[in-house]
Every structure is written in structure tokens, then in C-alpha cells.
Amino acid sequence: MRFFSCFLSSLGVTFALAATNLNARANTAPYELKNGPLDTPWTQKVGTNPWPEYPRPLLERKDWKNLNGVWQYQNTNADGINQPPFGVDLPQSVLVPFCLESALSGVMESNRLYSWYRTHFDVPREWPAGNRVLLNFGAVDYEATVFVNGKKVTTHTGGYWSFTVDITDQLSKDGPNELLVFVDDPTDKDMVQIPIGKQTLSPSHIFYTPCSGIWQTVWIESAPSTYISNLQITADMHGKVEVKVEASDESKLPIEVTLHEPRIGKPTERRDDKSEPIAKGTGSTLTFNVDSPKLWSPDSPNLYDMEIKYGNDTIKSYIGFRTISRGVVEGVERPLLNGEFVFQFGTLDQGFWPDGIYTAPSVEAMTYDLETLKKIGYNMVRKHIKVEPALFYRACDELGLLVIQDMPSLRTQVIDPNTRPDCPGWTPVADPKTTQEFGRQLELMIQQLRSYPSIVTWVIYNEEWGQPRVNPPAEFEMVDRIRKHDTTRLINSVSGWHDHGAGDFHDNHHYANPQCGTPFYSRVATPYDPKRIAIQGEFAGIGHNASFENSWKVERSLREVDQTYELNASIEIWNYRAHILLSELLGQVERFACSAAVWTQTTDVEGEVNGMLTYDRRVLRPDLKVWNEDIRNLYRAAARRGGRKVEG
């Protein structure tokens, strides 16, 4: 998607709902939900106990406490880190875990570059004596420095990654514990280059309102002195399972794995049946085989619940048996799922919300988007230059949605107006330290997400954003980085253009018509490379101007609607155009080498009006009967190209 110049439109702020501020003191204003430019059907349901679910489904402990809710907040400056407000009430309230720019946060202010958060918590008395207490953050954008009872316990850099710190030795023995978090989030100020995806301090059309601060769940939990700090699980189509345990210290303790009967969808009850351990060992890695497993796929997303004991630590997890690979089928390079060519068709999924910005108002709301995609007929979603909370990937696992996962991109610097005639002002990354940090965070993404069966492909660069112009091209080294951590998935090194042949895919972006594995291509693309898999990484993007009621009510966004690639006069015409584009894609699946395609996009976002759903999720544009049939035709054509018999 092309770059447009950006300026921030001011947001009018009014008060919509008063809530009880459980953390407030006399000097702290109570929490109030702001009246933002647009809400969703879930906005008013959030209350002051948001996201109560256990947030880490692949490494779940029994004894835990959610710290989400109303905290104290104060905007500050760069020097604020040197003046921690220990024991001092902060002036505002904020609802964690929602971005400071969001209505749900109760702050809804821009340019939150430096911030203080403050709360108090108690450790449950019933937790086992002698255990450690771990403090966990799902994600804080961008750099977080954490203090417990006046002592600094950690600093973490990277706005998309979870982190944990043992705070046992800092805890108070008599009374509540004070938790302070200092957040530094420059976003794209002064042309700084950090992984930010579509965020910008000056929103304009395809770049959106940023997210600053704590935007995923915060919780504490109890764990024994030696505990599982990280877990990596693979399970392939042949029944081979590998469980790798990273422990909190160098101990080599007994490990046991218990596997439960397979399920499709959410578990109906807690996984506590009396199944016997299926494998035992000592150390960090346990490998075993399961006979004739029920395989995971979009049509049958079978999942096996799992219990893992490491010494005195017991956690619950799950696995899906599936194998991702590539191979030549009928003379064409194809992506394979469990040894068969399955056409991957999904949407570009931005993951923005009008009320929570980066954070959906609830798990129910977040899952609604994914359920809608399945209802339309999609079997895949491209998570576009953003990383979601862990419960998003669990939902994809349970629903049977393949995930193409992007690395959040750097913003390309805007320096020289003569750099590119078609995109004025773009300058490639020049600082090697920027690329080095990007690579470090890329590895964090792989390490944190690699055990979710739904994720099938990693994407490194999107349309040259943050892609250095060096020789040899940087994406070759980045591909090698990923391979060191994960050999079980495919890699799309460059989605869009500036492709030098690295990775498993040749990716074409073209609006509105597809050019997927075809002998024709546009001037910004490269000729299809038959040595790799052909994917239409982005196409369509056709728009329909929503009613004012369903629109992001910011003046600039409303003005920029006509920058959408194509506008249609009505939903009926929009569906007619969609049918034409899907028919073109079908022809490319039947005639050429097209193996996957990504339609732009899941929902409208601010000034973009090209979603399956409007930004408030209240209007569904597709005619389901027509879309269901068009998408089935894609899958049938791909099956025939893959040598499988197709009925109908």
C-alpha cells in the first residue's frame, strides 16, 4: 500500500461513562470512558475489569492474578525516568490494557511520548509458601522500565513482545505493593526508526492513530523456585512431538507430558481428566510419537490439550498436528499443508479498533472478526505488520485460520523529496544499528509465536518499509536468522517489491486486479519467479463509503476517503466488483501458478473504507451467498491443480 503524507487531526473529547476507580486516591481523577470518533458494539460492555481471561494459553499456570483495570497515570518528559513518583498519587486514571490514545483508556490524548503508570496489588495469601512471584506484561509500547516498591526490576525494549520478571525479593510482607511503570514511546518522532507498523504521530489514510503505553494484559503468577520460563512445541503430521523447555535456572529436572483427547474449538471444561503421562524424561527436550493423530487443518482444526510437569512446575498447553512445507505439484512450486496443496485465501488484517486502537475491547470482539472471516469462506488471515495478543492466535488455532504473520515494520525515513518519483520523500534504512535491532526483535517474534499451529508463514519486509538497500540484500541474512529458530514454516522475505530472490515466495502487490503467478506484472513489481511460490500478497482494496454513522469521525480521515484505490457507489456495486476480481483470481489459479492471495482488507480503518466490515464492525459488506461460492471455486480449482478429485 502506498505512502501518503500525514498530519494528525485533533480529536474532540467528551465524557460518556463514569466508572468506579478502584485504584484512585483523593488526588486522582476518576476513570471515565471517553467519547471517541467511533465506537463498537462492545465499547459500553468493557467496564473496569477488561480482558479477564488468562492471557498466555500455551503456558498456563493455575495460580495467577489479573492486574488489568483502573491504574493511575501521568504524562511526563524524558527526564521523568530520573524522578519516579514513589508513594505519590498520579493525577489521571487510565484503564489498562488500552492504548493511551484510545477512548477506552480514559485518557485519549496524542503525543504520549513519556508516561508514568502506577497501581497497587496484593499477592494472594493462598499461594504456596516458598514459590516465586512473577510479574508479566503482554506488551508495552515501546520501552518500559518497571519499579516494584521503589526498586527497579527490569527494562524492556520492543512494543510487541511479552516479558516477565521475578519480583519475589521486592515484595512487601505487610501491605499492598506499589507498581510503577515508566514508558518511553517515540513512535516516528524525529524520524526515529523502530518497529511500529502502521502507527504514526500524524495519521493519514493508510497510516493510523498510534498506540502508546500498556496495551496487553498485566498479571502476576506463582511458580516454584525452578520453573518453565519458555516453552517451544512442534507436532507434525506423522505424530512426532518435540517439547523444548527453557527453565529459570540451570537445573535438569524430570519432565512429564500428558496428552488429552483431541477437540475441535474451545475446551468445554477445564483439562483435568485422569489421563496418564505419555512421555517422561529429564532435561530440556522431550521427543515422542503419537500414533495416527487427528491432523490440524482449516477444515478440521483438531487440538490436543496437554499438561507438562517440569520438576514441581505444572503448566497447561495444547498442540495441533500439522506439517507446513513446499514442493513441486504438477510442475508448480506450491505451499503444502500436511503434504497437500491447499490454496490460502485470506484478508489483510490490520488489527485496529476505533475504541481501543491496538487493543480490541474484549476477546469476544477480537474473535468476532475472525469468525466473520470464516463465515465469508476465508481459510487464512495475513496479520499485517502487527503482532496480536496470544489469545488471537489461540482463536485462529481453534477456528482453523491459517496465519501469515508479518514482522512489524520500520518506518522508512522521510528526508529527500527526490528519492522516488512515485513515492516522494522515501529513503531506505541507512543505520546498521537499526537493522541489527530489527533483527533482534524479529527473533523475539519467532521465539514467542512459533508454537501456534495456525501460523504457517513469516513475513520479514512489507513493501520495502525498513528494508535496507545493501549488498548482499539484508533479507538473506534475516531469512537465515529465522531458519535458526524455526525450520517448520515458510518465509516470505519481501511482500510487495524490491525482491532479490530470498525466501520461499514470490509476492506481488497490485490494486485492484490480481497478478498472481502470471506472465504479466506492473512496473513496481518483478516478473514471477517460478523457482518460488506465487502469492498475491495484496490486491482488491475496493472501497464503499460508509454512512457517517459508521465512519471514523475525524475531519481529515473523512476527506481522505477518496484516496481508496477504488470507490463503489453502493454495497451492491461493491459486491459486483468483488465478484469480477474473484473471477480474475480464479482464472489465475486455473491457468497460472497462483497459490495464495490476500484481499485488502478485514475492516475499514480510520480513513480507509475497503473492509469486509465497517470500522465499527456494524456493517458486513459481502453478499455471503455469492462470496461463499466464489471462494469455494478458488479452493476447487486449486484442488484440481493439485491433482485431487473434486466433486461438483
Side-chain angles (χ1 to χ4, degrees):
M1 303 174 78
R2 293 180 177 81
F3 178 87
F4 296 89
S5 60
C6 322
F7 296 96
L8 179 64
S9 299
S10 61
L11 303 179
V13 177
T14 58
F15 298 126
L17 175 68
T20 303
N21 187 343
L22 303 178
N23 237 330
R25 302 293 188 269
N27 298 323
T28 303
Y31 168 75
E32 292 181 290
L33 169 67
K34 294 292 196 268
N35 183 18
L38 187 65
D39 68 357
T40 71
W42 302 274
T43 307
Q44 301 290 337
K45 300 178 182 179
V46 172
T48 56
N49 183 33
W51 285 71
E53 300 84 0
Y54 189 87
R56 193 183 54 205
L58 288 180
L59 205 168
E60 178 182 345
R61 288 194 173 90
K62 179 182 68 173
D63 294 322
W64 75 290
K65 181 177 180 179
N66 197 321
L67 300 187
N68 290 346
V70 180
W71 292 29
Q72 296 178 2
Y73 170 75
Q74 178 178 296
N75 187 35
T76 185
N77 54 37
D79 192 49
I81 185 66
N82 300 316
Q83 303 171 33
F86 299 132
V88 178
D89 290 339
L90 306 185
Q92 289 182 266
S93 290
V94 61
L95 186 62
V96 171
F98 295 105
C99 312
L100 295 171
E101 294 82 356
S102 72
L104 281 168
S105 73
V107 178
M108 205 175 83
E109 295 177 1
S110 58
N111 291 288
R112 303 293 90 182
L113 305 182
Y114 306 99
S115 301
W116 276 113
Y117 287 79
R118 181 173 181 258
T119 191
H120 291 85
F121 66 92
D122 290 308
V123 176
R125 294 180 180 272
E126 62 271 20
W127 284 5
N131 268 19
R132 310 300 292 176
V133 176
L134 309 179
L135 173 64
N136 302 279
F137 291 82
V140 182
D141 199 355
Y142 173 69
E143 184 173 88
T145 304
V146 182
F147 301 83
V148 174
N149 293 328
K151 297 180 181 179
K152 177 181 172 181
V153 294
T154 193
T155 295
H156 178 268
T157 300
Y160 299 92
W161 324 118
S162 62
F163 61 99
T164 299
V165 58
D166 186 335
I167 59 172
T168 311
D169 297 337
Q170 284 73 44
L171 293 177
S172 171
K173 296 181 180 178
D174 48 355
N177 299 277
E178 181 187 54
L179 171 60
L180 277 168
V181 183
F182 179 81
V183 180
D184 176 354
D185 182 23
T187 310
D188 56 354
K189 182 177 174 58
D190 298 328
M191 298 184 295
V192 66
Q193 288 181 300
I194 58 176
I196 55 172
K198 288 292 192 76
Q199 302 179 69
T200 178
L201 294 174
S202 300
S204 176
H205 200 54
I206 68 163
F207 295 105
Y208 318 129
T209 301
C211 174
S212 299
I214 300 171
W215 68 277
Q216 291 185 29
T217 293
V218 185
W219 77 102
I220 57 172
E221 61 187 347
S222 175
S225 55
T226 297
Y227 58 88
I228 299 172
S229 59
N230 192 23
L231 189 64
Q232 295 184 356
I233 308 172
T234 58
D236 68 19
M237 61 182 287
H238 305 293
K240 181 181 178 181
V241 181
E242 184 177 79
V243 178
K244 289 186 177 181
V245 170
E246 293 181 21
S248 56
D249 58 33
E250 300 298 321
S251 303
K252 300 294 184 183
L253 301 179
I255 181 172
E256 293 183 1
V257 174
T258 301
L259 210 58
H260 302 280
E261 289 300 308
R263 60 178 169 89
I264 290 183
K266 299 177 181 179
T268 56
E269 57 186 25
R270 189 162 181 84
R271 298 157 289 182
D272 56 2
D273 61 64
K274 298 181 180 180
S275 299
E276 294 296 323
I278 193 172
K280 297 182 180 182
T282 300
S284 60
T285 302
L286 189 61
T287 301
F288 58 92
N289 289 283
V290 174
D291 293 333
S292 304
K294 292 185 177 180
L295 302 185
W296 185 95
S297 73
D299 293 331
S300 299
N302 293 289
L303 297 173
Y304 289 71
D305 292 317
M306 174 185 286
E307 183 178 84
I308 300 172
K309 292 183 178 181
Y310 182 73
N312 294 322
D313 196 13
T314 299
I315 64 99
K316 295 185 183 298
S317 190
Y318 66 86
I319 56 175
F321 288 90
R322 61 98 181 100
T323 297
I324 306 300
S325 60
R326 59 180 283 193
V328 176
V329 180
E330 303 290 328
V332 180
E333 284 284 345
R334 300 292 194 185
L336 305 179
L337 173 63
N338 300 327
E340 291 188 335
F341 167 42
V342 174
F343 187 80
Q344 300 176 18
F345 187 49
T347 55
L348 197 73
D349 193 77
Q350 311 277 9
F352 276 75
W353 293 81
D355 46 10
I357 308 300
Y358 247 24
T359 310
S362 64
V363 172
E364 176 191 4
M366 179 186 69
T367 306
Y368 174 80
D369 280 5
L370 302 174
E371 291 172 339
T372 298
L373 296 182
K374 287 288 287 190
K375 181 168 65 174
I376 295 168
Y378 293 110
N379 66 0
M380 175 267 283
V381 63
R382 178 184 171 194
K383 176 42 61 181
H384 191 42
I385 51 180
K386 182 195 177 192
V387 173
E388 292 287 359
L391 295 177
F392 173 93
Y393 302 98
R394 183 186 71 177
C396 292
D397 291 341
E398 292 175 343
L399 289 168
L401 270 173
L402 305 168
V403 178
I404 295 176
Q405 176 64 54
D406 290 13
M407 172 65 188
S409 63
L410 305 168
R411 180 59 41 80
T412 301
Q413 291 181 337
V414 181
I415 300 176
D416 181 0
N418 299 311
T419 302
R420 276 183 53 183
D422 56 330
C423 290
W426 282 33
T427 300
V429 173
D431 186 355
K433 292 182 179 178
T434 298
T435 299
Q436 183 179 6
E437 176 62 14
F438 179 85
R440 182 189 74 86
Q441 295 195 34
L442 174 66
E443 291 185 11
L444 285 178
M445 181 179 76
I446 308 305
Q447 291 166 5
Q448 292 193 8
L449 300 182
R450 70 182 301 271
S451 294
Y452 292 99
S454 56
I455 299 177
V456 296
T457 296
W458 306 113
V459 179
I460 302 173
Y461 295 112
N462 177 73
E463 292 186 351
E464 80 171 340
W465 301 354
Q467 181 184 0
R469 301 286 183 85
V470 294
N471 193 18
E475 56 266 30
F476 285 93
E477 192 269 334
M478 295 296 175
V479 167
D480 289 341
R481 279 177 180 252
I482 295 176
R483 298 281 192 224
K484 289 178 182 178
H485 294 282
D486 183 15
T487 60
T488 68
R489 291 178 175 87
L490 304 179
I491 300 173
N492 187 346
S493 66
V494 178
S495 183
W497 44 76
H498 289 290
D499 178 24
H500 302 99
D504 298 300
F505 291 88
H506 180 269
D507 193 324
N508 177 290
H509 289 191
H510 190 255
Y511 290 99
N513 311 72
Q515 299 176 342
C516 186
T518 64
F520 49 87
Y521 56 95
S522 59
R523 65 186 179 87
V524 295
T526 54
Y528 163 60
D529 175 8
K531 296 187 297 298
R532 290 178 294 156
I533 300 163
I535 180 174
Q536 188 68 44
E538 294 179 24
F539 83 113
I542 59 174
H544 161 253
N545 198 351
S547 68
F548 184 75
E549 178 185 0
N550 305 115
S551 297
W552 180 249
K553 298 171 187 66
V554 171
E555 182 181 353
R556 178 157 190 167
S557 295
L558 294 171
R559 289 201 315 267
E560 292 178 341
V561 164
D562 62 0
Q563 294 185 21
T564 299
Y565 303 105
E566 172 185 308
L567 281 176
N568 294 273
S570 67
I571 288 183
E572 291 74 22
I573 297 301
W574 182 90
N575 274 286
Y576 164 76
R577 285 289 296 138
H579 175 66
I580 296 299
L581 294 177
L582 291 172
S583 298
E584 285 192 48
L585 184 65
L586 174 61
Q588 294 170 19
V589 174
E590 292 174 330
R591 289 173 173 266
F592 306 121
C594 187
S595 293
V598 179
W599 183 287
T600 301
Q601 58 189 328
T602 303
T603 73
D604 296 351
V605 187
E606 301 191 4
E608 288 192 82
V609 291
N610 49 10
M612 300 289 106
L613 292 157
T614 51
Y615 197 21
D616 62 358
R617 275 69 171 176
R618 289 188 172 95
V619 178
L620 177 66
R621 291 192 175 98
D623 179 326
L624 291 180
K625 182 178 180 181
V626 176
W627 275 76
N628 288 168
E629 183 61 22
D630 283 344
I631 294 175
R632 276 196 296 267
N633 287 337
L634 294 174
Y635 299 149
R636 290 168 180 155
R640 286 191 290 268
R641 291 295 306 271
R644 285 181 282 150
K645 292 183 179 180
V646 179
E647 295 182 1

